[in-house]
Amino acid sequence: MTATPKPLSIVAKCALCSTKTELFVCPHCDEVICQVCVNKHRSILNETLKEHWLKCKTKFQNLSQLSNNYDRDFKSAENEIDRIRQMLERRYLEFVQSIDNEKNTLLIQIEDHIRSTSSHVKHADVQQVFKSVHQRLNEYFQGTNTAYNTDDFLLEIEHLNRQITNRERFMNDDTLKYPYLTPSKPLIISDVFGELQWNSKPMSIRNSPRSLTANGHSSRNSDGWQDESSSLPDEIEQDGLPAVPVMRKQRQWSLDASGVPHFLCILSKKNYLLFACDKYGCIDLYQLDGTDPSVPPRHLRQFELFSGNSSSQKPQIIEAFTVYTPFIVVSAHLSDQTDTSSVYFFDHRGIQQGETCLQNFPVRQLSADTGFKCLWGVDRHQHSVYYNQLPMNVTQIQQSIDQREEFIIFGRDFEPIRITQNQTSIAVVERNSQSVHIFNKQTKEQVDEIQNLLRTDGTFRLWNVLLRDDNSMVLKLDEDLPPYSRPQTIHHLIVELDPKGVPVAQIERTAVYGLAIGPNQEILLGCKRHQQNGSIECYI
């Protein structure tokens, strides 16, 4: 509006006020109007501009004020964080010192007991007196030394006899006590360092998902929160209905495996083939009975994907394993390289097909989907579930792995760890919230969610899931242990849910690794027996 209106060479009526006078072209609206109307239009525009500028100025001042407040609060938060760091360091040192003190106290008690027991059990003192008397008696009998008379020897022998009798009675009557250390109680780390809490406003609550509660129960009250008081051992009570018992599945058969079956995969060809693979790539191949799940499978053969891998100084550790026709697909990394992975394709005899496909991120799981014709994968660094085209011959392998498509990219607080799929859906296990999210493969929409609330009791954590075609599931929950603890056995809970998410059966077992669903809906578990071997068990 600062430009000077351009005068016209004609005199006519104004388009706004109809006054016949010299006209101008308004630079804002391009109307042919008189000078009075131009001035009025300019005044209105100036007022409008001033009004908008005042609003913008007010918002800017508010934003500046909020920014200053946040800067001040952030400095206070940094001071609080530094205080927490110092407090944690002090409590850590105190905790370590208390452990050292307790260790030294126990060692001192053990040493004192050893000395006390040695003084009562060992008879070196009695033996020394016995040798002395025996030597002097020999000298006396030989007549070389007559300094001792018979009464002296009798008194000394009588004293020695009492010592021997007392020592013998003590060793016969008293049991040998030796120390042993009882197993330590589970340590809740928050009891040592305190519970870290966040001073913030609660976030808005989404539609509450179904929840898996203690002893494999599924419950949700009217407010969407789990009511722990309604949980009953081995039975379920929902929506005021009578309690329904949770069946404990029975083991039908068990067979030995040469390694620890970390992965179990079933391939349906003319017959049902069961591939059991340990973490070094040693595979046992079995043939399942497709009609009678109570019949143990027949062992066909054993082969290795990486020859001599289990005895290598730096073995290849398998993180993901899946089977389809015609390939076995594994993701592996060297034992000292966990930030990258290599994807290998093998035929069903264990012979590598094509080149090794290097990945610049750790591939923790792969799942072959012949119906959707893709190879699903989890990228925990990018918080995403992705897929590649499923290669059907050797020439397609490299191109398929190179062309990755993102299925869903989650937020930074969503950490996917396991996936499983059926004909229409894919289920994703999220580590932090301990929940299973089920998505439609075509629309990518979430169709269901089940949460594990056994974590609230500090008992079990959800680590794996299997999804049937009717959206019923089998969940694998591992005993929740303190960080860096290495118990000899870990307890597991296998919970079977019906299509509505209600627990109907469960299995309690230790040292479970592999998990699969058989052709007759039986549950197959790969379990560890000893350090380097295990078993495959069937539950119906």
Side-chain angles (χ1 to χ4, degrees):
M1 296 299 300
T2 58
T4 302
K6 183 180 179 181
L8 295 177
S9 58
I10 62 174
V11 175
K13 290 184 178 181
C14 174
L16 295 180
C17 64
S18 300
T19 302
K20 188 174 181 181
T21 183
E22 186 177 5
L23 302 181
F24 302 89
V25 177
C26 180
H28 181 264
C29 62
D30 290 335
E31 292 285 346
V32 181
I33 57 180
C34 65
Q35 182 64 49
V36 176
C37 292
V38 168
N39 294 336
K40 290 181 179 179
H41 198 180
R42 180 181 299 165
S43 177
I44 293 173
L45 290 176
N46 287 339
E47 291 297 329
T48 303
L49 181 63
K50 183 184 297 184
E51 181 181 355
H52 283 286
W53 168 244
L54 290 176
K55 290 182 179 179
C56 181
K57 183 179 180 181
T58 302
K59 289 183 178 180
F60 175 78
Q61 290 174 348
N62 293 337
L63 181 61
S64 299
Q65 183 64 32
L66 287 175
S67 177
N68 293 334
N69 293 340
Y70 274 113
D71 286 341
R72 184 173 63 255
D73 294 341
F74 187 73
K75 290 179 181 179
S76 300
E78 284 185 326
N79 294 333
E80 181 66 16
I81 291 173
D82 290 337
R83 188 185 68 83
I84 292 176
R85 287 197 185 101
Q86 296 173 5
M87 184 182 299
L88 288 176
E89 183 69 21
R90 185 177 68 255
R91 292 185 183 180
Y92 163 75
L93 296 176
E94 292 173 354
F95 184 52
V96 172
Q97 184 63 40
S98 64
I99 293 177
D100 288 337
N101 294 340
E102 185 67 20
K103 178 194 70 174
N104 295 332
T105 300
L106 294 176
L107 291 176
I108 291 172
Q109 292 180 6
I110 291 174
E111 295 296 332
D112 292 342
H113 181 78
I114 290 175
R115 285 194 294 269
S116 175
T117 303
S118 298
S119 64
H120 288 86
V121 175
K122 293 183 179 180
H123 54 276
D125 55 339
V126 179
Q127 185 177 13
Q128 183 178 2
V129 175
F130 175 83
K131 288 182 178 180
S132 175
V133 173
H134 181 67
Q135 180 180 359
R136 287 185 284 111
L137 276 177
N138 286 335
E139 294 177 354
Y140 178 78
F141 289 146
Q142 293 174 4
T144 58
N145 187 356
T146 59
Y148 298 95
N149 56 34
T150 304
D151 292 336
D152 294 334
F153 277 117
L154 288 175
L155 290 174
E156 195 168 358
I157 291 172
E158 183 65 23
H159 177 69
L160 178 61
N161 186 38
R162 285 197 300 269
Q163 283 185 289
I164 294 174
T165 302
N166 293 334
R167 193 65 54 86
E168 183 181 11
R169 184 174 64 253
F170 175 82
M171 296 182 67
N172 288 333
D173 295 343
D174 289 2
T175 58
L176 178 61
K177 297 179 180 179
Y178 58 92
Y180 76 98
L181 196 62
T182 60
S184 60
K185 296 180 180 179
L187 176 64
I188 301 176
I189 201 65
S190 61
D191 292 344
V192 178
F193 293 104
E195 183 180 0
L196 186 63
Q197 298 180 346
W198 304 95
N199 186 14
S200 62
K201 296 181 180 179
M203 297 178 64
S204 59
I205 303 174
R206 301 181 301 168
N207 293 332
S208 57
R210 291 177 287 162
S211 303
L212 182 69
T213 60
N215 292 294
H217 301 159
S218 178
S219 65
R220 185 173 63 189
N221 62 19
S222 59
D223 295 329
W225 298 101
Q226 179 251 356
D227 184 6
E228 295 181 0
S229 62
S230 64
S231 298
L232 299 175
D234 300 325
E235 58 186 26
I236 306 168
E237 185 175 356
Q238 283 187 320
D239 301 329
L241 298 176
V244 179
V246 177
M247 180 185 67
R248 293 183 180 272
K249 284 186 171 289
Q250 302 298 319
R251 185 172 63 185
Q252 296 299 310
W253 50 259
S254 175
L255 52 87
D256 294 335
S258 57
V260 179
H262 281 70
F263 308 96
L264 297 178
C265 283
I266 296 178
L267 180 65
S268 175
K269 288 185 174 181
K270 294 181 180 180
N271 300 301
Y272 290 95
L273 301 178
L274 172 63
F275 292 78
C277 179
D278 68 4
K279 66 178 181 179
Y280 300 110
C282 180
I283 295 180
D284 284 300
L285 181 61
Y286 303 88
Q287 181 179 331
L288 293 167
D289 191 311
T291 58
D292 187 359
S294 63
V295 178
R298 181 168 62 93
H299 188 270
L300 299 180
R301 62 179 179 272
Q302 182 185 93
F303 55 92
E304 292 184 352
L305 301 181
F306 306 103
S307 180
N309 187 45
S310 59
S311 58
S312 174
Q313 294 292 331
K314 290 185 178 181
Q316 291 271 7
I317 305 299
I318 294 181
E319 290 284 354
F321 180 90
T322 188
V323 178
Y324 70 101
T325 302
F327 296 125
I328 299 172
V329 188
V330 300
S331 167
H333 62 81
L334 294 176
S335 57
D336 58 347
Q337 296 178 359
T338 59
D339 291 335
T340 58
S341 296
S342 298
V343 178
Y344 300 86
F345 286 77
F346 302 87
D347 63 16
H348 294 171
R349 297 171 298 172
I351 301 175
Q352 184 173 351
Q353 305 294 303
E355 299 295 330
T356 302
C357 303
L358 300 178
Q359 304 291 292
N360 59 358
F361 63 95
V363 180
R364 297 306 186 205
Q365 189 178 4
L366 295 171
S367 179
D369 187 347
T370 55
F372 209 62
K373 290 184 171 40
C374 72
L375 185 65
W376 298 97
V378 174
D379 187 345
R380 294 175 65 181
H381 283 184
Q382 299 298 322
H383 300 263
S384 67
V385 174
Y386 67 92
Y387 61 90
N388 306 92
Q389 182 183 359
L390 195 64
M392 304 307 295
N393 55 60
V394 177
T395 60
Q396 296 176 353
I397 291 177
Q398 192 65 50
Q399 182 180 2
S400 298
I401 299 301
D402 290 342
Q403 295 179 353
R404 159 177 163 173
E405 299 290 338
E406 300 293 344
F407 178 70
I408 294 181
I409 300 178
F410 302 99
R412 304 303 296 178
D413 58 340
F414 190 104
E415 185 175 355
I417 57 174
R418 288 288 186 273
I419 55 173
T420 184
Q421 40 86 25
N422 58 20
Q423 295 296 324
T424 59
S425 304
I426 182 169
V428 183
V429 178
E430 202 279 313
R431 181 177 183 270
N432 300 320
S433 65
Q434 287 289 284
S435 57
V436 181
H437 301 257
I438 303 177
F439 299 90
N440 184 285
K441 288 182 181 178
Q442 297 290 344
T443 64
K444 301 183 181 181
E445 293 181 355
Q446 180 169 311
V447 297
D448 202 356
E449 179 182 351
I450 293 180
Q451 282 191 343
N452 167 36
L453 295 187
L454 278 78
R455 182 73 171 104
T456 59
D457 295 333
T459 52
F460 290 94
R461 286 185 65 85
L462 176 63
W463 284 110
N464 206 348
V465 63
L466 297 176
L467 186 65
R468 295 191 175 104
D469 288 337
D470 60 354
N471 277 1
S472 63
M473 287 184 288
V474 177
L475 307 181
K476 176 177 175 285
L477 302 112
D478 299 358
E479 180 183 7
D480 192 13
L481 299 170
Y484 308 110
S485 60
R486 297 182 180 274
Q488 294 182 351
T489 58
I490 301 178
H491 298 278
H492 304 271
L493 189 64
I494 313 300
V495 181
E496 185 176 12
L497 309 181
D498 67 9
K500 295 182 180 179
V502 177
V504 294
Q506 67 181 30
I507 304 169
E508 295 180 8
R509 188 65 168 85
T510 59
V512 177
Y513 289 87
L515 185 67
I517 297 177
N520 299 284
Q521 304 306 312
E522 68 271 26
I523 297 177
L524 304 178
L525 303 181
C527 304
K528 179 179 179 181
R529 283 187 175 176
H530 304 289
Q531 191 64 28
Q532 298 297 334
N533 57 59
S535 63
I536 301 174
E537 300 178 356
C538 173
Y539 292 83
I540 299 178

